[in-house]
């Protein structure tokens, strides 16, 4: 591989590579975006790494990322192969959406996901009504804490996870349900299993996964999560009545009924379970973590919390539940939510892409099959775009007249062909949960508690360190 690299005269520069291990020791896999920031300063916006023999190129800053993902969208639309997921049932033509290789089956399943998320609730309750209802359950649960100090983490996870349960399996769980709490815990643990040096190493040296017991030991929570999904789907299939559509699983089953052509388009049982798990993993932790950042920033900036509440009181009042129609009349609240996403920097290094063909970027040559890391953190904190990149500053999203504006470098959902298909749903959840919570409660740091930490814990997502709060009814 050393020889191959040398023959590419315009290949991006990078740190010195050691035999076998490559540049893996140049990266802190528990905070990769911090390492990338240092390397960006040294090598520029496009630099290369070597994970053992796997070529990796990291893209930094808004201009570079936009050029790759938007202007050369197809060149950068593939995903690398992840051997560490094989034990969960991933394989050829069974890849779900998130880690699927770019191609026909991915396109079909992505289109299916987007349209099902969009048309959800035809004739029945809309998704918006379901979020409003769930926000009501969440507030009731918070109220039962009676203003005492508590950790809101599990409750937020439950509320957000319930939205995915509703979409995928047609029903929500009660917050006290034991199975539900186990499910939430499994998600958290399976995310943790994907972080750090070991999973990266196993991906590039997959032979180690053949050692009996290794995948079971390294990815126990992922395996349990998959088993859980299988049980729910099996139950679901037994109660399926083609005359009714309860949820996304039913729509998928209907597609599967269409026979061989549908199967070739990816609509078979293995993909049903993988699409289901994709929506849980991609759609719950991201949204709930954003809401936890939102409340943390409100604790740290009570004056901003008061301004949001004043806008809620003016536009919605204290009784009527917020709806999406209110958003257009609430520029300040909207700006605060966007700033939470920018400053919280929830998915700092995105998901890995791979070049679909040989390509060029800003004069550099990047060959087909190169793993591409989109450093979203470097876009959301790009010093050439944001006035105060490292501060919580809602004015980033307000013009001189106090109207909402969205700078182009706001890319928490990434961009291009692989951009997050859950953006619309996530936006709706963030707006409705956040405004309902601040309509009903004022959040404060308990007297005996120190000021909560503002730095992040990284495990694929950047999440806040645990904190306690008091929710005072308004
Ligand atoms: C992919 C962010 C919520 C489903 C992604 C990606 C990001 C992202 C950065 C990677 C895009 C890329 O590869 O360039 C977020 C954030 C969310 C959120 C910040 C919440 C605040 C959701 C929700 C769902 C969802 C609610 C669905 C229920 C997906 C899927 C993909 C994805 C299926 C893979 C797309 C593909 O590979 O074609 N998301 N997401 N996400 N997200 Fe989201």
């Amino acid at each position: 591989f050393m020889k191959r690299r040398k023959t590419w005269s315009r290949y991006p520069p990078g740190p010195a590579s050691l035999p076998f291990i490559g540049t893996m020791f140049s990266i802190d896999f528990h905070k990769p975006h911090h390492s990338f920031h240092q390397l960006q300063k040294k090598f520029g916006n496009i630099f290369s790494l070597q994970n053992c023999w796997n070529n990796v190129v990291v893209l930094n800053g808004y201009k570079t990322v936009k050029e790759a993902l938007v202007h050369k969208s197809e060149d950068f639309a593939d995903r690398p192969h992840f051997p560490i997921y094989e034990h969960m049932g991933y394989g050829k033509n069974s890849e779900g959406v998130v880690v699927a290789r770019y191609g026909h089956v991915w396109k079909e399943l992505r289109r299916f996901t987007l349209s099902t998320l969009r048309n959800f609730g035809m004739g029945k309750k809309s998704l918006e009504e379901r979020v409003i209802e769930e926000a009501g359950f969440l507030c009731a649960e918070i109220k039962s804490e009676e203003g005492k100090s508590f950790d809101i983490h599990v409750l937020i996870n439950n509320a957000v996870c319930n939205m995915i349960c509703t979409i995928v399996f047609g029903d929500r769980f009660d917050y006290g349900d034991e199975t539900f709490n186990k499910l939430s815990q499994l998600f958290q643990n399976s995310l943790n299993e994907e972080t750090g040096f070991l999973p990266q190493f196993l991906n590039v040296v997959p032979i180690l996964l053949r050692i009996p017991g290794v995948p079971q030991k390294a990815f126990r929570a992922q395996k349990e999560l998959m088993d859980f999904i299988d049980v729910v789907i099996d139950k679901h299939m037994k109660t399926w009545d083609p005359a009714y559509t309860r949820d996304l699983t039913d729509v998928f089953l209907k597609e599967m009924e269409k026979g061989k052509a549908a199967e070739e388009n990816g609509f078979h049982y293995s993909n049903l379970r993988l699409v289901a798990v994709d929506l849980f993993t991609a759609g719950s932790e991201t949204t709930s973590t954003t809401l936890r950042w939102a409340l943390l920033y409100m604790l740290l900036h009570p004056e901003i919390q008061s301004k949001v509440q004043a806008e809620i009181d003016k536009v919605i009042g204290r009784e009527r539940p917020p709806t999406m129609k209110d958003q257009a009349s609430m520029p300040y609240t909207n700006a605060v939510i966007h700033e939470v996403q920018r400053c919280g920097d929830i998915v700092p290094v995105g998901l890995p892409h791979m070049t679909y063909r040989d390509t060029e970027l800003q004069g550099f040559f990047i060959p087909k099959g190169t793993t591409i890391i989109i450093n979203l953190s470097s876009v959301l904190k790009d010093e050439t775009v944001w006035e105060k990149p490292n501060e919580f500053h809602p004015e980033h999203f307000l013009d001189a007249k106090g109207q909402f504006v969205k700078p182009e470098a706001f890319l928490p959902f990434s961009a291009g062909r692989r951009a997050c298909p859950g953006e619309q749903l996530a936006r709706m959840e963030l707006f409705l949960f956040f405004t309902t919570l601040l309509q009903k409660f004022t959040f404060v740091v308990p007297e005996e508690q120190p000021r909560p930490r503002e730095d992040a814990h990284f495990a694929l997502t950047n999440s806040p360190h645990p904190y306690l709060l008091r929710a005072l009814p308004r």
Side-chain angles (χ1 to χ4, degrees):
F1 65 83
M2 295 295 284
K3 200 163 155 237
R4 269 176 67 203
R5 244 184 108 167
K6 275 183 201 149
T7 57
W8 299 324
S9 59
R10 286 177 295 115
Y11 191 67
S17 180
L18 295 170
F20 185 67
I21 202 83
T23 60
M24 286 185 86
F25 286 132
S26 310
I27 305 298
D28 174 357
F29 286 102
H30 289 283
K31 282 182 193 148
H33 45 303
H34 290 200
S35 308
F36 295 161
H37 186 63
Q38 296 309 321
L39 292 168
Q40 180 189 5
K41 281 201 262 178
K42 193 159 173 197
F43 296 105
N45 284 337
I46 306 179
F47 59 81
S48 64
L49 299 171
Q50 188 104 24
N51 277 0
C52 296
W53 40 83
N54 187 19
N55 292 316
V56 179
V57 166
V58 184
L59 308 184
N60 301 275
Y62 170 62
K63 211 169 142 270
T64 310
V65 167
K66 184 178 176 189
E67 195 175 324
L69 296 188
V70 180
H71 300 154
K72 299 208 162 173
S73 177
E74 191 172 52
D75 292 6
F76 289 89
D78 209 354
R79 290 258 193 251
H81 174 54
F82 296 95
I84 56 166
Y85 296 133
E86 275 172 17
H87 73 101
M88 290 166 79
Y90 287 85
K92 197 164 165 39
N93 287 335
S94 299
E95 300 173 311
V97 178
V98 177
V99 300
R101 298 294 303 270
Y102 178 70
H104 175 69
V105 172
W106 164 78
K107 274 188 198 162
E108 287 289 329
L109 294 180
R110 185 179 160 101
R111 194 180 306 137
F112 166 86
T113 307
L114 267 168
S115 79
T116 314
L117 286 178
R118 202 172 295 139
N119 302 332
F120 186 86
M122 296 160 297
K124 287 196 283 164
K125 257 188 226 163
S126 70
L127 207 44
E128 180 176 352
E129 285 170 297
R130 304 254 188 171
V131 182
I132 294 170
E133 192 179 77
E134 192 65 45
F137 288 123
L138 177 62
C139 285
E141 208 63 35
I142 295 174
K143 199 164 170 222
S144 73
E145 296 288 338
E146 297 176 329
K148 290 193 207 98
S149 161
F150 74 110
D151 184 346
I152 202 162
H153 187 158
V154 174
L155 286 184
I156 301 251
N157 273 3
N158 289 351
V160 172
C161 194
N162 259 339
M163 293 321 303
I164 307 289
C165 288
T166 303
I167 293 168
V168 180
F169 298 130
D171 217 350
R172 63 179 296 281
F173 287 90
D174 283 333
Y175 293 168
D177 191 294
E178 227 174 84
T179 319
F180 188 44
N181 291 329
K182 188 170 170 227
L183 181 66
S184 274
Q185 198 54 50
L186 279 180
F187 282 130
Q188 194 57 52
N189 295 349
S190 67
L191 271 180
N192 285 335
E193 282 177 356
E194 292 181 44
T195 320
F197 182 84
L198 182 68
Q200 307 299 325
F201 191 65
L202 290 174
N203 258 333
V204 280
V205 195
I207 189 91
L208 297 176
L209 290 162
R210 304 267 174 264
I211 301 172
V214 167
Q216 289 76 2
K217 207 162 175 165
F219 306 111
R220 184 176 297 156
Q222 283 181 4
K223 166 92 178 58
E224 270 187 59
L225 179 60
M226 223 52 233
D227 291 346
F228 181 94
I229 300 268
D230 284 340
V231 171
V232 183
I233 292 183
D234 283 347
K235 231 184 193 167
H236 206 92
M237 286 171 86
K238 286 192 185 116
T239 54
W240 183 48
D241 176 352
Y244 298 98
T245 305
R246 294 168 294 186
D247 46 43
L248 183 137
T249 303
D250 279 358
V251 189
F252 202 103
L253 290 173
K254 243 186 187 157
E255 285 296 322
M256 279 166 61
E257 283 276 290
K258 291 181 185 161
K260 194 149 174 44
E263 190 173 340
E264 277 164 13
N265 287 338
F267 293 93
H268 47 69
Y269 181 80
S270 328
N271 267 332
L272 167 56
R273 62 200 282 278
L274 296 177
V275 168
V277 83
D278 271 357
L279 294 181
F280 276 103
T281 39
S284 36
E285 173 69 16
T286 41
T287 315
S288 65
T289 301
T290 310
L291 283 168
R292 282 195 292 131
W293 277 116
L295 294 183
L296 177 69
Y297 287 127
M298 294 305 98
L299 294 180
L300 297 174
H301 303 277
E303 69 296 349
I304 297 179
Q305 178 169 199
S306 302
K307 278 172 89 172
V308 173
Q309 286 172 325
E311 192 173 64
I312 293 173
D313 289 353
K314 191 174 109 206
V315 178
I316 309 171
R318 298 272 174 109
E319 294 306 323
R320 171 176 74 76
T323 69
M324 286 314 285
K325 276 209 190 99
D326 297 316
Q327 197 181 30
S329 330
M330 301 177 69
Y332 190 75
T333 306
N334 208 7
V336 167
I337 295 172
H338 280 73
E339 181 64 354
V340 167
Q341 287 200 272
R342 189 201 67 79
C343 206
D345 188 13
I346 323 294
V347 196
V349 290
L351 293 174
H353 285 228
M354 189 169 84
T355 39
Y356 186 58
R357 55 172 74 91
D358 285 356
T359 189
E360 300 240 342
L361 197 65
Q362 295 176 4
F364 290 112
F365 169 71
I366 308 178
K368 175 180 173 169
T370 305
T371 297
I372 304 291
I373 304 288
I374 312 288
N375 185 359
L376 290 178
S377 185
S378 71
V379 180
L380 294 175
K381 310 244 161 120
D382 188 331
E383 286 161 15
T384 64
V385 178
W386 307 98
E387 194 191 330
K388 299 179 181 177
N390 298 311
E391 283 176 39
F392 188 77
H393 183 63
E395 287 70 21
H396 282 137
F397 296 91
L398 293 168
D399 67 11
K401 291 189 187 133
Q403 290 306 306
F404 177 74
V405 281
K406 187 156 85 174
E408 279 191 24
F410 179 73
L411 293 184
F413 297 100
S414 192
R417 290 181 197 223
R418 286 283 184 165
C420 175
E423 173 169 354
Q424 214 185 340
L425 169 64
R427 304 228 128 283
M428 184 159 83
E429 289 186 65
L430 294 179
F431 180 76
L432 293 175
F433 280 128
F434 183 68
T435 43
T436 311
L437 288 174
L438 264 66
Q439 179 189 43
K440 299 292 178 201
F441 303 98
T442 298
F443 295 93
V444 296
V445 182
E447 287 89 28
E448 73 282 7
Q449 288 295 317
R451 187 180 159 84
R453 287 173 69 164
E454 212 169 333
D455 60 324
H457 164 75
F458 175 81
L460 284 190
T461 55
N462 258 342
S463 60
H465 289 276
Y467 62 85
L468 296 177
L469 52 67
R470 291 177 63 208
L472 309 176
R474 297 183 67 214

